[in-house]
Amino acid sequence: MKFWKTTLRIWITIVSLFSFFGGWVVLAHSPKPNQFNPANLSKMPVLAPIPSLDQIMNSQESNRLSFNNNMRPIRLRTGGSG
């Protein structure tokens, strides 16, 4: 039994090393991805600027917002003892 256990461990080690180095060789010889070239990009859309905090606080919409804080705290109960 000890012979088979040792043989199996050696076999797994050898196969793992060959798989690792084989994968390394395959990845090293694979085609490289395209490098970034800004000339190939189409025109990007122009987005509206993000409003500042002062603009948000002074806007008319902020006066319409109200926060309802009447919620009860939620108590979670488990089925355990205690």
Side-chain angles (χ1 to χ4, degrees):
M1 185 67 164
K2 183 174 171 84
F3 170 75
W4 292 113
K5 197 180 213 182
T6 306
T7 305
L8 184 62
R9 287 182 178 169
I10 292 171
W11 174 252
I12 290 173
T13 302
I14 291 171
V15 170
S16 297
L17 288 173
F18 274 115
S19 298
F20 175 75
F21 288 117
W24 192 339
V25 168
V26 167
L27 286 175
H29 288 76
S30 66
K32 304 300 182 256
N34 293 337
Q35 297 297 322
F36 175 71
N37 186 0
N40 292 341
L41 291 177
S42 61
K43 186 171 173 159
M44 299 296 288
V46 178
L47 301 175
I50 299 174
S52 68
L53 188 57
D54 291 332
Q55 291 172 338
I56 293 173
M57 295 302 289
N58 294 332
S59 72
Q60 295 292 339
E61 292 180 15
S62 65
N63 296 334
R64 287 187 237 155
L65 294 176
S66 64
F67 296 100
N68 188 0
N69 210 5
N70 297 337
M71 295 183 64
R72 296 182 319 167
I74 298 172
R75 295 181 64 186
L76 301 176
R77 304 184 95 187
T78 61
S81 62

